[in-house]
Amino acid sequence: MKYTLPLFAVLGALSLTACDRPTVIAVPVAPVMVPGPPGPAGATGATGSTGDTGSSGATGYTGATGDTGATGKEGAGTTVIVMPPASAPAN
């Protein structure tokens, strides 16, 4: 019995020290890409197709009213009367 308590103390200390070791993980370093010299220019691409026709524009505003015209000369004495066509008889 006199060796039991010191034995458990030693076993407890050993088990705690075995669990306490941190694991070292080596993280790989990502390679850095360095651009090289530029290559020769490529060939010219093909011409694109013609685009769609645009839509019609909006209708413009009505213009301003013009000035009143000048009064005409008096006639030579002949008066012409224009009569509207006769209306249809009422049923």
Side-chain angles (χ1 to χ4, degrees):
M1 185 77 169
K2 65 181 183 178
Y3 295 113
T4 314
L5 185 60
L7 179 67
F8 282 132
V10 171
L11 285 175
L14 288 175
S15 65
L16 287 176
T17 56
C19 294
D20 192 34
R21 288 189 195 168
T23 306
V24 178
I25 299 173
V27 179
V29 178
V32 177
M33 301 301 284
V34 178
T44 303
T47 303
S49 60
T50 304
D52 295 335
T53 303
S55 58
S56 298
T59 304
Y61 295 111
T62 304
T65 305
D67 295 334
T68 305
T71 305
K73 293 183 192 177
E74 294 215 13
T78 307
T79 304
V80 178
I81 300 175
V82 178
M83 300 291 293
S87 60
N91 287 342

